[in-house]
């Protein structure tokens, strides 16, 4: 093959250009810490990295949902504990009232106390967190109870998606007003596991939950008609007197069930939180392994490419300008 | 012996002038060492003819007379040039493909925080937040904003791609001009070269210039170059002559109305034609081919990526909307689109979409079947199969709920014109009675007697929704821009069974396509007149079933509905005169809806509305709460009051909410004194989740689609003027293949006295609780986890992932190819330089050689001069 000056130049430029490109690529890799700047740099890595970003986004969102679920459950737990302590207080008062030595004024005073405490229970049941009423079911933008205890919420459940789009429907984060305060219509009440029949005139009005309905009835009887409370003449009043303690017992039974349920769900959510955190860490590691540059390797490679680059320029500088012309005198 | 004293002088002078010429050639070479395409030249020296002189012995001697330059040769190898041109075309192709591929890649902008993936993530996050906190309008706001962002993103992608197409069109035009200039110049050089060489003079430099021009031309288009006997280049490009012995052929660009970009997206594209024949030139290599490829190729070009984005838009408009439509807004309304226009069911748009994919993907039943009352099962048996498993006919049996056979028979694929019509997925369509449509994949291994059975409507997700009526335009169709008008003709025979002729005119007003309902016209394809859709006063024709063949052989789909009044009064806007006339033609403007799904992507104006838009996001899956007495509010006091929420089984367990929405028309019954005796359901039916359920008057027998009301009447203990009706509504709904009983209880409170009368009705509606985010939750699942048929059964994220990896792989492959070709091109260039290039050292050596020769010849002159001088002195 016959060599010509043009061939020197062609080859030199081609090689120099190649070295330049390689340097630019490496500079970007070292500069950004990522193997691929664009899909065509490494299609598989970019595609995997997109998948990881979706998964990371998902676990981040799950984390947020789980935490807000836990917050919701904790707030519900606090409120129901408060309700429970008030119920204990009411039970003490009721027990006092049943004491035969109390006169009408005493009973009226106790009735007023019970009415006030019922009011406090209603206030507690209207607890809201961040403008959302805890015990309103899915109608959580309005207070679920009015001052008479009439329930305006529903029995809807609120779920927090916690993993991969799958949520256990048995794990809602809310309990509704009727979960805590009992049903709107009832024929029996559950006292420590035993069903006690309720007088037909006291089986609910369809709008006030059991606990509030019965406590209202009881306190009204004490206030308005203390004599009847002591010596009931009607089946209705007689039932109220005879079951005065049962009413609070049944109420506490319901709240305790709620507390147990909230506790169990809260544990499940806390477990989810840990698992989600672990998943998140694993994905982050995978993502890093997939798309991050191994810095030391990249720098060593950079060095060697740089050396080649320098060498090719040196060779070009030595060979290109020379020809026989330089030696002819 | 006689010898001329001056012959030696002549020989020396010839030597001088030959050396001079050789030195001139060397100078020419050195001067052109860097000239592109220059081939080095060599002065070919030859001894001149000798003179014959006898010597003293009488022998004849041939005496050399010196040297002459016989010719100046250009050193070139035509085989190398052919290689150079071919590889030059290939290199230019991949170089351009890389440049434009990288531009497409740039628009997707991945991986980054601003690409489509990030936007999809934002939508998903917003949906998740909404699912957990649906009562906060901030979450609704976030979803709406994320939805808008997605629409903006696809819109700007569309705009970018459109700009790039325009850019490509312009570039192609410029390149075609360049081709014309080059072919003209080459042709001119052809003439000069052949004229010069006819006289025997080598046209070295002209040939070099011509080769340079051909090299430039080869970078633009693939060329095949043949040199004819007269030294002219005859150049072809993919069979189209560019340069002939006579001259050059001009190319031109014209608009290409048949490209997909043009017909589907409305983006104008051009193509290259030869001006002599008008034929399209199918360029296969070079820069121009690459420009066309990057624009039009259905797998790698802009068209391909626009189609991919379009598919994602389709999944949003169809699948995402379908989920959103299932949900309930804060106002208790349902069937609301999130994207696109209100009132449009995008499932019915364009190419018929197969909703349910049953029996291993072989047979599908179209969604529209669902609204037909009483259908229970459809059995489809493949009756005959042609080559490759294509189904030629099917036997079908359609049964009602009681197992009675409604219709039975065989069906063959629907044809339009002379060919079998297929849906977008390449499935053959079979139309059965009762409005059923079955599509069967032609490529599957169907075998005779394969039988598929479908239960209806349980496996059909979507219910029929009336589409747009014709007077408002034929919306959402793929009617190409060439149609200007649609005509609806109602012949005067429309008495019992309607005849309808729908015609289309092209832009020139010439009839282009007709479809008729009664099958009397040859263009009748699959127009569907369906008794199920027809009310007592109107016939209704579903245009989405129209699949007719236009004059150019393409199959067109429409959407919309034509309604024709039986009584002669038409929907307003339909008939400009306001009076119906039979045998009259009504013209309806065809809305040219080119632009694809991308063009339809926007957030539903109902949701964008600043007043009520946020309430219209359908986050809830059910209408959960209960408001009574929708109806005349003024009538409340005197009449019926539907009471509080209820829904307990007496054990404290909520039965509420029901799975579906409930919309009840309560009909109270009163005795002659106006006292309530009972309540019932108006028309003996209840609408639950959009389905109408009939009352079973006797004891409740389980079964999908049945409903029963039980009531207990009591005096209201709290208010002696009221009567209470404790009511339980039982209904049966199919879930996971079995009938499940559900019930809901509520209380109705009715005044004992008042202006009650039989026939009063009260509507009960159950709008959702604001915090119910279960439908939002389902939307989130759809975006993240649900394989979507329109995306090749991939999730949106997976699908997008393959888009990105495809563009990445494509550019990556093209880059590697370009690098390889660059290397090949370098080698060929070097090869050419090795043969034809100027080597300075060689030239210097020759310079010295001919300098010495010149000196020596000059010495000869001096010597002869001295010889002659010697002789003269002797005189």
């Amino acid at each position: 093959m016959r060599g010509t000056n043009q061939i020197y130049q062609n080859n030199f430029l081609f090689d120099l250009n190649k070295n330049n490109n390689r340097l630019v690529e490496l500079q970007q890799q070292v500069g950004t810490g990522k193997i691929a700047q664009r899909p065509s740099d490494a299609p598989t890595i970019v595609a995997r990295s997109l998948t990881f970003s979706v998964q990371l986004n998902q676990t981040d969102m799950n984390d947020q949902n789980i935490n807000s679920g836990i917050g919701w459950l904790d707030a519900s737990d606090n409120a129901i504990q408060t309700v429970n302590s008030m119920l204990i207080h009411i039970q003490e008062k009721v027990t006092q009232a049943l004491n035969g030595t109390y006169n009408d004024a005493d009973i009226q005073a106790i009735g007023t106390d019970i009415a006030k405490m019922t009011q406090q229970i209603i206030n507690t049941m209207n607890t809201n967190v961040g403008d959302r009423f805890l015990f309103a079911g899915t109608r959580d933008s309005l207070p679920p109870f009015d001052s008479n205890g009439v329930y305006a919420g529903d029995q809807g459940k609120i779920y927090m998606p916690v993993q991969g789009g799958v949520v256990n429907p048995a794990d809602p984060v809310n309990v509704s007003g009727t979960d805590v305060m009992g049903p709107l219509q009832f024929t029996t009440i559950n006292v420590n596991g035993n069903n006690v029949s309720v007088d037909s005139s006291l089986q609910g009005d369809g709008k006030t939950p059991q606990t509030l309905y019965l406590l209202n009835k009881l306190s009204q009887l004490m206030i308005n008609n203390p004599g009847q409370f002591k010596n009931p003449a009607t089946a209705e009043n007689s039932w109220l007197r005879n079951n005065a303690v049962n009413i609070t017992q049944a109420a506490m039974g319901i709240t305790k069930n709620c507390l147990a349920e909230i506790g169990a769900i809260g544990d499940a959510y806390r477990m989810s939180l840990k698992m989600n955190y672990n998943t998140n860490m694993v994905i982050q590691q995978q993502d890093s392994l997939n798309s991050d540059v191994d810095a030391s390797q990249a720098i060593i490679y950079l060095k060697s490419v740089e050396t080649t680059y320098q060498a090719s320029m040196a060779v070009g500088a030595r060979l290109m300008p020379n020809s026989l012309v330089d030696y002819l005198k | 012996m006689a010898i001329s004293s001056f012959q030696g002088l002549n020989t020396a002078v010839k030597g001088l002038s030959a050396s001079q010429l050789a030195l001139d050639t060397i100078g020419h070479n050195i001067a052109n060492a860097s000239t592109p395409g220059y081939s080095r030249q060599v002065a070919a020296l030859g001894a001149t003819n000798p003179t014959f002189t006898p010597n003293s012995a009488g022998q004849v001697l041939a005496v050399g007379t010196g040297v002459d330059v016989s010719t100046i040769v250009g050193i070139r190898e035509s085989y190398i040039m052919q290689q150079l041109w071919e590889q030059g075309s290939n290199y230019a192709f991949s170089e351009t493909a890389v440049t434009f591929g990288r531009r497409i890649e740039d628009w997707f902008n991945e991986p980054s925080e601003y690409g489509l993936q990030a936007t999809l993530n934002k939508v998903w996050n917003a949906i998740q937040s909404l699912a957990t906190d649906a009562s906060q309008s901030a979450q609704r706001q976030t979803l709406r904003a994320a939805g808008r962002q997605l629409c903006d993103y696809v819109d700007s992608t569309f705009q970018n791609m459109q700009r790039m197409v325009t850019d490509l069109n312009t570039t192609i035009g410029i390149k075609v001009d360049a081709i014309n200039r080059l072919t003209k110049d080459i042709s001119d050089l052809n003439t000069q070269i052949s004229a010069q060489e006819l006289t025997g003079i080598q046209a070295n430099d002209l040939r070099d210039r011509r080769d340079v021009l051909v090299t430039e031309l080869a970078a633009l288009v693939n060329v095949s170059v043949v040199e004819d006997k007269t030294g002219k280049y005859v150049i072809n490009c993919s069979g189209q002559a560019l340069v002939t012995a006579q001259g050059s052929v001009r190319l031109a660009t014209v608009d290409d109305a048949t490209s997909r970009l043009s017909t589907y997206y409305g983006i104008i594209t051009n193509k290259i034609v030869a001006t002599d024949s008008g034929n399209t030139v199918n360029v296969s290599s070079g820069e121009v081919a690459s420009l066309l490829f990057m624009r039009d190729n259905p797998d790698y070009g802009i068209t391909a990526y626009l189609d991919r984005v379009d598919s994602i838009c389709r999944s949003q408009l169809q699948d995402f909307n379908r989920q959103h439509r299932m949900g309930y807004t804060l106002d208790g309304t349902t069937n609301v689109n999130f994207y696109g226009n209100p009132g449009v069911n995008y499932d019915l748009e364009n190419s018929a979409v197969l909703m349910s994919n049953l029996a291993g993907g072989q047979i599908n039943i179209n969604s529209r079947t669902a609204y037909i009352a009483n259908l229970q099962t459809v059995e489809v048996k493949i009756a005959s199969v042609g080559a490759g498993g294509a189904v030629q006919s099917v036997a079908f049996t359609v049964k009602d709920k009681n197992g009675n056979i409604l219709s039975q028979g065989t069906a063959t694929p629907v044809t339009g014109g002379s060919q079998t019509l297929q849906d977008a997925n390449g499935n053959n369509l079979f139309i059965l009675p009762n409005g059923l449509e079955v599509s069967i994949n032609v490529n599957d291994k169907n075998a005779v007697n394969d039988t598929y059975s479908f239960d209806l409507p349980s496996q059909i997700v979507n219910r029929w929704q009336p589409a747009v009526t014709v007077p408002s335009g034929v919306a959402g169709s793929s009617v190409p821009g060439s149609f200007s008008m649609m005509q609806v003709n109602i012949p005067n025979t429309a008495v019992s069974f309607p005849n309808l002729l729908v015609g289309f005119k092209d832009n020139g007003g010439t009839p282009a396509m007709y479809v008729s309902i009664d099958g009397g016209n040859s263009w009748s394809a699959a127009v569907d007149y369906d008794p199920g859709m027809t009310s007592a006063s109107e016939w209704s024709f579903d245009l989405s079933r129209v699949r007719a063949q236009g004059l150019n052989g393409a199959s067109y789909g429409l959407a919309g509905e034509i309604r024709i009044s039986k009584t002669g009064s038409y929907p307003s806007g339909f008939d400009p005169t306001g009076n119906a006339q039979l045998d009259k033609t009504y013209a309806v403007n065809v809305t040219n809806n080119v632009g694809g799904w991308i063009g339809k992507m926007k957030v539903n104006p109902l949701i964008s509305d600043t007043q009520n838009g946020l309430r219209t996001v359908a986050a809830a899956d059910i209408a959960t709460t209960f408001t009574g007495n929708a109806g005349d509010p003024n009538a409340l006091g005197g009449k019926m009051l539907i009471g509080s929420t209820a829904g307990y089984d007496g054990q404290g367990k909520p039965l509420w909410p029901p799975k579906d929405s409930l919309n009840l028309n309560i009909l109270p019954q009163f005795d002659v004194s106006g006292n309530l005796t009972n309540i019932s359901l108006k028309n003996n039916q209840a609408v639950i989740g959009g389905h109408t359920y009939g009352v079973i008057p006797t004891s409740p027998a389980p079964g999908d689609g049945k409903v029963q009301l039980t009531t207990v009447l009591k005096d209201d203990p709290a208010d002696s003027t009221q009567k209470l009706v404790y009511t339980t509504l039982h209904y049966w709904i199919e879930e996971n293949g079995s009938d499940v009983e559900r019930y809901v209880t509520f209380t109705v409170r009715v005044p004992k006295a008042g202006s009650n009368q039989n026939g009063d009705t009260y509507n009960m509606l159950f709008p959702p609780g604001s915090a119910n985010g279960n439908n939002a939750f389902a939307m989130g699942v759809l975006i993240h986890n649900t394989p979507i048929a329109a995306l090749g059964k991939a999730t949106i994220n997976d699908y997008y992932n393959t888009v990105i990896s495809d563009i990445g792989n494509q550019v990556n492959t093209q880059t590697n190819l370009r690098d390889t070709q660059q290397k090949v091109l370098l080698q060929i260039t070097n090869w050419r330089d090795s043969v034809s290039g100027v080597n300075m050292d060689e030239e210097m050596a020759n310079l010295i050689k001919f300098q010495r020769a010149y000196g020596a010849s000059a010495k000869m002159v001096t010597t002869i001069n001295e010889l002659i001088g010697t002789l003269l002195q002797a005189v």
Side-chain angles (χ1 to χ4, degrees), chain A residues 2-4 10-11 38-40 43 47 51 54 57-58 61 132 138-140 154-155 164-165 178 185 206 324, chain B residues 40 105-106 110 117 125 132-133 135 625 644 648 726 770-771 784-785 801 809 812 830 833-834 837 839 841-842:
Chain A
R2 188 177 154 267
T4 68
N10 291 346
N11 288 346
R38 48 196 307 142
S40 58
T51 309
V54 170
N57 182 54
Q58 184 171 344
M61 204 66 213
R132 301 182 69 181
T138 59
R139 309 182 75 179
D140 66 350
D154 62 17
Q155 282 76 42
T178 46
Q185 285 171 307
L324 194 55
Chain B
R40 71 191 161 102
E105 202 183 22
D106 283 345
E110 300 288 0
Q117 185 67 70
N125 288 351
T132 61
D133 196 3
S135 50
T625 58
S644 62
Y648 281 85
Y726 295 105
S770 56
H784 246 223
N785 307 63
N801 213 322
N809 276 316
N812 187 280
N830 283 348
D833 278 333
S834 157
N839 180 338
D841 298 344
E842 196 176 80

Side-chain angles (χ1 to χ4, degrees), chain A residues 60-86:
Chain A
D60 285 350
M61 204 66 213
N62 286 346
D63 190 70
Q64 192 181 318
N65 289 342
I66 294 170
N67 276 319
S68 83
I70 289 173
W72 192 284
L73 288 163
D74 285 352
S76 301
D77 188 86
N78 276 337
I80 298 172
Q81 296 277 11
T82 310
V83 168
N84 214 28
S85 65
M86 286 173 194

Side-chain angles (χ1 to χ4, degrees), chain A residues 1-11 14-15 17-18 21 36-44 46-51 53-55 57-59 61-62 64-65 68 72 129-132 137-141 151-162 164-167 176 178-179 182-188 195 200-201 203-207 322-325 328, chain B residues 33-34 40 101-103 105-106 110-111 117 121-122 124-126 128-129 131-136 624-627 644-648 650-654 656-657 714 717 726 745 747 749 768-772 774 777 781 784-785 797-798 800-801 804-805 807-809 811-812 815 818-819 822-823 826 829-831 833-845 847-848:
Chain A
M1 166 143 167
R2 188 177 154 267
T4 68
N5 301 64
Q6 201 63 46
I7 294 177
Y8 283 139
Q9 279 175 27
N10 291 346
N11 288 346
F14 184 85
D15 293 338
N17 195 25
K18 266 231 137 80
N21 286 342
Q37 319 304 319
R38 48 196 307 142
S40 58
D41 289 348
T44 325
V46 172
R48 286 192 73 199
S49 139
L50 277 183
T51 309
S53 86
V54 170
Q55 289 173 350
N57 182 54
Q58 184 171 344
T59 50
M61 204 66 213
N62 286 346
Q64 192 181 318
N65 289 342
S68 83
W72 192 284
V129 172
D131 286 344
R132 301 182 69 181
T138 59
R139 309 182 75 179
D140 66 350
S141 42
Y151 184 53
D154 62 17
Q155 282 76 42
K157 296 295 179 195
I158 292 169
Y159 305 104
M160 302 281 168
V162 290
V166 180
V167 66
S176 70
T178 46
D179 288 339
L184 303 173
Q185 285 171 307
F186 44 91
T187 52
T188 59
N195 281 336
S200 64
S201 57
Q203 294 181 349
D205 59 1
K207 54 187 180 179
N322 290 341
S323 88
L324 194 55
V325 183
L328 289 174
Chain B
S34 303
R40 71 191 161 102
R102 286 176 78 96
R103 276 177 69 179
E105 202 183 22
D106 283 345
E110 300 288 0
Q117 185 67 70
N121 281 350
K122 269 185 198 162
W124 186 77
N125 288 351
Q128 286 272 297
S129 301
T132 61
D133 196 3
S135 50
Q136 294 282 325
T624 46
T625 58
F626 181 133
T627 55
S644 62
T645 59
Y648 281 85
Q651 306 299 317
K653 279 219 154 224
W656 186 264
K714 276 185 177 180
Y726 295 105
T745 66
T747 315
R749 183 174 280 120
S770 56
N772 179 331
N774 293 345
F777 177 70
V781 172
H784 246 223
N785 307 63
N797 285 327
D798 286 348
Y800 183 64
N801 213 322
I804 293 306
S805 91
I807 178 71
N809 276 316
V811 175
N812 187 280
T815 309
R818 180 199 61 183
D819 290 350
Q822 195 176 15
K823 187 94 193 172
L826 176 79
T829 310
N830 283 348
W831 185 17
D833 278 333
S834 157
V835 173
S836 304
V838 177
N839 180 338
M840 271 316 167
D841 298 344
E842 196 176 80
E843 299 301 328
M844 284 302 137
L847 183 72
I848 290 171

Side-chain angles (χ1 to χ4, degrees), chain B residues 602-826:
Chain B
K602 64 173 180 186
V603 172
N604 184 347
L606 290 179
I607 289 174
S608 289
D609 183 65
T610 46
Q611 296 288 319
N612 282 318
L614 293 178
R615 300 183 62 78
T616 315
V617 174
D621 66 336
I622 44 173
T624 46
T625 58
F626 181 133
T627 55
N629 61 65
D632 181 8
N634 299 323
L636 278 185
K639 295 190 178 176
M640 185 170 81
L641 181 70
I642 294 171
S644 62
T645 59
Y648 281 85
D649 61 358
Q651 306 299 317
K653 279 219 154 224
L655 302 168
W656 186 264
K659 177 82 178 109
D660 295 282
S661 72
L662 269 168
N663 195 341
L664 306 178
N665 278 308
I666 304 288
L667 182 69
Q669 288 138 19
F670 305 97
D671 63 16
V672 287
S673 320
N675 290 323
L676 186 76
T677 55
N678 205 348
I679 63 168
S680 62
L681 293 171
K682 192 184 179 189
N683 297 335
N684 282 329
Q685 65 179 33
V687 180
I688 302 171
H691 311 227
T692 301
Y693 286 68
V695 164
I696 304 300
T698 54
S699 64
D704 185 23
K706 292 171 183 170
V707 68
Q708 196 193 31
L709 206 60
T710 57
T711 54
V712 176
L713 272 73
K714 276 185 177 180
D715 286 337
D716 186 350
D719 185 347
S720 59
T721 65
Q722 305 281 327
K723 217 171 177 89
L724 290 180
V725 189
Y726 295 105
T727 314
T728 308
L729 179 79
H730 303 259
Y731 63 98
W732 287 264
I733 188 161
E734 190 185 288
E735 273 189 356
N736 305 324
S738 59
D739 291 326
V740 178
E741 182 186 358
R742 293 178 176 278
Y743 60 103
V744 52
T745 66
F746 53 89
T747 315
V748 176
R749 183 174 280 120
V750 186
K752 287 177 180 170
S755 52
N756 299 313
Q757 51 183 314
N758 286 326
D760 288 353
T761 51
Y762 302 90
N763 180 260
M764 289 165 62
L765 196 69
F766 300 78
S770 56
N772 179 331
N774 293 345
N775 193 52
F777 177 70
M779 291 192 277
V781 172
L782 184 109
I783 284 201
H784 246 223
N785 307 63
T786 309
I788 289 174
L791 304 178
K793 299 214 181 95
T795 66
I796 297 175
N797 285 327
D798 286 348
Y799 183 80
Y800 183 64
N801 213 322
T802 60
V803 174
I804 293 306
S805 91
D806 279 358
I807 178 71
N809 276 316
Q810 179 188 334
V811 175
N812 187 280
T813 310
Q814 288 286 7
T815 309
N816 289 341
L817 199 63
R818 180 199 61 183
D819 290 350
T820 312
Q821 256 148 9
Q822 195 176 15
K823 187 94 193 172
V824 170
L825 192 61
L826 176 79

Side-chain angles (χ1 to χ4, degrees), chain B residues 30-267:
Chain B
I30 292 172
N32 282 299
S34 303
T35 306
Y38 178 77
S39 307
R40 71 191 161 102
Q41 296 173 10
V42 174
L45 299 182
T48 47
N49 291 334
T51 55
F52 301 100
T53 305
N55 63 5
S56 52
Q59 293 161 317
V60 178
L61 302 175
V63 181
T65 56
V67 68
D68 201 359
V69 175
S70 56
T71 177
I72 294 177
V73 193
I75 307 295
R76 55 164 58 82
E77 177 78 68
S78 72
Y79 176 69
I80 299 177
M81 291 314 289
Q82 295 283 5
Q83 291 283 308
L84 191 66
W85 294 330
E86 190 186 330
Q87 291 307 324
S89 291
N90 291 341
Y91 172 69
F93 183 95
S94 37
E95 169 74 16
T96 311
V98 169
T99 309
F100 281 91
R102 286 176 78 96
R103 276 177 69 179
I104 297 177
E105 202 183 22
D106 283 345
W107 288 333
F108 281 106
N109 198 8
E110 300 288 0
S112 83
E113 321 243 307
Y114 313 101
L116 184 56
Q117 185 67 70
T119 315
L120 286 170
N121 281 350
K122 269 185 198 162
V123 174
W124 186 77
N125 288 351
I127 288 171
Q128 286 272 297
S129 301
L130 181 64
T132 61
D133 196 3
S135 50
Q136 294 282 325
S137 56
Q139 311 294 7
R140 291 164 182 268
Q141 177 77 49
T142 313
L143 175 59
R144 182 168 75 178
R148 279 187 186 147
Q149 209 174 333
L150 181 63
C151 294
D152 288 350
Y153 184 91
V154 296
D155 183 56
S156 83
T157 303
F158 182 75
Q159 302 292 344
N160 278 329
M161 300 238 178
Q162 193 171 20
R163 268 196 289 274
M164 182 159 155
V165 170
T166 314
D167 185 19
L168 282 166
N169 289 342
T170 315
T171 313
I172 289 166
I174 292 171
K175 296 297 171 190
V176 165
D177 288 346
I179 292 169
N180 287 336
R181 208 183 52 243
L182 287 167
T183 50
K184 168 106 185 18
D185 289 353
I186 291 169
S187 175
D188 289 351
L189 282 167
N190 266 349
T191 316
Q192 291 178 38
I193 290 165
S194 78
Q196 186 174 330
E197 292 189 349
L198 209 59
T199 63
I201 304 168
Q202 276 292 312
N204 287 326
D205 295 321
L206 293 177
R207 278 179 173 273
D208 282 347
R209 266 167 59 194
R210 185 173 65 177
D211 284 350
V212 169
L213 293 180
V214 175
T215 310
E216 280 179 37
L217 182 64
L220 294 172
V221 290
N222 51 309
V223 289
S224 88
V225 183
V226 177
E227 186 174 338
D228 73 3
K229 278 181 248 164
T230 62
K232 288 181 173 172
Y233 276 176
V234 174
I235 302 178
N236 278 307
C237 166
S238 305
Q240 169 66 44
L242 297 182
V243 178
T244 64
Q246 286 73 41
S248 64
V249 176
R250 281 184 63 79
L251 302 181
T253 55
V254 293
D255 282 355
D256 180 7
T258 60
S259 75
R260 179 166 170 80
L261 283 170
S262 172
T263 57
Y264 188 70
Y265 295 108
I267 305 175

